[in-house]
Every structure is written in C-alpha cells, then in structure tokens.
Amino acid sequence: MNSSRLRLRCLLLCLACVLLAACAGKSAGEQIADMPHWMGGEPEGVPPRRGTAEYEAWAAARAQEAGRPKTGDSI
C-alpha cells in the first residue's frame, strides 16, 4: 500500500513539472514555428516574424532590391 502511494505521488509530481514547463516561455504557435522543418516546423526561406529586428533588416533589404533598376540584368 505504501509503495503504491509513493508511486502515485511521484507520478503526480512528474506530471506537475511537465505541465509547468510546458507553460513557460512561448505560446504553442511560437514553439511549433521554431521547430525544425523535419519536425513539422516552418520550411526554410520563410521571412522572419514582424516586429523583430531580423524582420526590419529583411524588409529593408527587400525594399532596396525592389528599388534597384532591373533593366539590362542578365539571367
């Protein structure tokens, strides 16, 4: 009887730790987006999220490329 109570307490403690760790930090969508592609995350080449410094740099580079004259470019 004592062994089963100890086992139940350990199980509940482990479950509480896992649930607490799952709540820490990011939302579920952010965690899925940050996973590698082979685990079901976003594919390579997806632009950064809006509001980040990486997005601002990416948008500036994209605007600069769009403003560049394209005539006479060789393929």
Side-chain angles (χ1 to χ4, degrees):
M1 185 78 157
N2 216 4
S3 176
S4 63
R5 271 190 173 176
L6 181 61
R7 192 174 292 175
L8 180 63
R9 282 185 181 179
C10 286
L11 178 67
L12 289 176
L13 180 64
C14 289
L15 181 64
C17 290
V18 167
L19 290 175
L20 183 62
C23 295
K26 301 177 179 180
S27 70
E30 289 174 333
Q31 288 178 351
I32 291 172
D34 290 339
M35 279 195 257
H37 179 62
W38 59 270
M39 285 181 65
E42 293 180 343
E44 294 295 322
V46 174
R49 290 188 196 100
R50 289 183 183 208
T52 61
E54 293 87 10
Y55 179 80
E56 299 301 325
W58 175 81
R62 188 173 178 198
Q64 185 178 13
E65 177 64 24
R68 186 178 63 82
K70 308 280 191 300
T71 58
D73 285 348
S74 42
I75 296 175

